[in-house]
Amino acid sequence: IKEKENKPLALLEAVIEQQADLITHWMRVGFIHGVMNTDNMALSGETIDYGPCAFMDHFNPETVFSSIDHNGRYSYANQPYIGQWNLARFAESLLPLFHEEKEEAIELAEHSLNSFESIYKQKWLSMMGNKLGFSETDNQVEKLVTELLDWMHRKTADYTNTFRDLSHPVLPNDALYSDKDFIHWKTSWKEVLKVRGMDEKSSFDLMRRVNPAVIPRNHKVEEALQAGEKGNLEPFYQMLRAIEQPYTDNSERKAYQIPPMESERVRQTFCGT
């Protein structure tokens, strides 16, 4: 930024890049911040103000956990759009520094803000391609990603486990993977990997680096909180041990990989937890 002629504008552009990176990683692991007010976003591109945040179990782009978000403003799928909206508010605060002429300042800000969508889309597609073992992406890979997410949504498939399962040569013996639509998708996926000359081992290695085996699932967090309220912190420490190496397979963590039963499902989270 110090080397740029218009340093305030360069700051905005750097923050745009950082926010696009951050939200891409949220989307990668199914994280929902839950309260993306402007004061809860950091210029550094780090996640701050952990309030009603949570991780998604079954894939649904409209997933919301915050008890006060009644209209889905901060849903999983809305996070990039809210990120751009927040960046626009940040840009407004810097307008007098962009240019002494207001109209010129607005034009400069809008030009930079309009780049967010393409920057994020590129990062998102690259990330999703990595989740499927592709080091490079194009329209064909995007089609595979979209089709898989649509199938996961229809089948209420677990977001974390589905991608982690795909990162192994042999899928678990789960009735879900016997679905004819999934079998068709998997065949197409394998064919595209083969046409690209992707080495199977390197693809699986890449997938295991970006698809966590374990996340702090909401019902296990709730279990630890309830035990802690009664003075028993052991479930909390067990959960910490389970998630300290999220990309490593470990049979001891099996309890933290199992999606919640209907009676265990956490539908709302609150500030203060």
Side-chain angles (χ1 to χ4, degrees), residues 97-150:
L97 304 178
F98 292 156
H99 198 280
E100 58 186 16
E101 296 292 335
K102 183 177 180 180
E103 293 305 314
E104 181 68 22
I106 291 174
E107 187 175 335
L108 289 169
E110 288 181 343
H111 178 75
S112 295
L113 289 167
N114 288 338
S115 71
F116 175 85
E117 185 174 352
S118 61
I119 290 172
Y120 171 76
K121 176 67 179 297
Q122 183 180 12
K123 291 179 184 295
W124 178 86
L125 183 55
S126 176
M127 173 272 293
M128 294 302 295
N130 287 172
K131 284 175 76 69
L132 290 180
F134 295 98
S135 55
E136 296 181 1
T137 56
D138 58 14
N139 291 341
Q140 196 173 29
V141 173
E142 184 175 8
K143 183 172 182 288
L144 283 172
V145 169
T146 301
E147 289 176 349
L148 177 63
L149 292 178
D150 286 345

Side-chain angles (χ1 to χ4, degrees), residues 1 10-26 41-47 87 116 119-120 123:
I1 291 174
L11 172 63
L12 172 63
E13 291 171 349
V15 173
I16 287 173
E17 186 81 22
Q18 292 291 92
Q19 296 303 321
D21 269 337
L22 173 66
I23 296 172
T24 297
H25 283 299
W26 286 357
M41 306 298 289
L43 302 188
S44 60
E46 296 172 288
T47 307
L87 287 163
F116 175 85
I119 290 172
Y120 171 76
K123 291 179 184 295

Side-chain angles (χ1 to χ4, degrees), residues 80-236:
Y81 304 105
I82 295 300
Q84 186 177 32
W85 191 90
N86 288 349
L87 287 163
R89 308 289 75 76
F90 176 54
E92 287 171 352
S93 73
L94 297 178
L95 280 178
L97 304 178
F98 292 156
H99 198 280
E100 58 186 16
E101 296 292 335
K102 183 177 180 180
E103 293 305 314
E104 181 68 22
I106 291 174
E107 187 175 335
L108 289 169
E110 288 181 343
H111 178 75
S112 295
L113 289 167
N114 288 338
S115 71
F116 175 85
E117 185 174 352
S118 61
I119 290 172
Y120 171 76
K121 176 67 179 297
Q122 183 180 12
K123 291 179 184 295
W124 178 86
L125 183 55
S126 176
M127 173 272 293
M128 294 302 295
N130 287 172
K131 284 175 76 69
L132 290 180
F134 295 98
S135 55
E136 296 181 1
T137 56
D138 58 14
N139 291 341
Q140 196 173 29
V141 173
E142 184 175 8
K143 183 172 182 288
L144 283 172
V145 169
T146 301
E147 289 176 349
L148 177 63
L149 292 178
D150 286 345
W151 175 82
M152 290 170 65
H153 189 193
R154 291 198 311 273
K155 297 295 181 177
T156 62
D158 187 83
Y159 184 78
T160 300
N161 289 349
T162 300
F163 279 105
R164 189 67 183 188
D165 289 345
L166 287 170
S167 69
H168 295 285
V170 179
L171 289 171
N173 185 21
D174 190 315
L176 191 65
Y177 298 134
S178 298
D179 177 76
K180 62 180 178 61
D181 290 335
F182 175 79
I183 293 172
H184 175 74
W185 176 88
K186 185 186 174 188
T187 300
S188 299
W189 172 52
K190 292 289 187 180
E191 287 176 354
V192 175
L193 283 170
K194 186 176 181 179
V195 168
R196 301 294 175 85
M198 299 292 295
D199 172 69
E200 191 171 89
K201 182 181 183 302
S202 61
S203 291
F204 286 138
D205 286 345
L206 171 60
M207 293 172 71
R208 285 191 289 271
R209 289 198 300 271
V210 299
N211 293 314
V214 62
I215 56 171
R217 291 187 180 270
N218 309 322
H219 66 296
K220 301 302 284 186
V221 172
E222 187 65 23
E223 179 184 287
L225 286 170
Q226 290 181 4
E229 287 178 344
K230 299 174 182 176
N232 178 14
L233 293 179
E234 186 53 32
F236 171 69

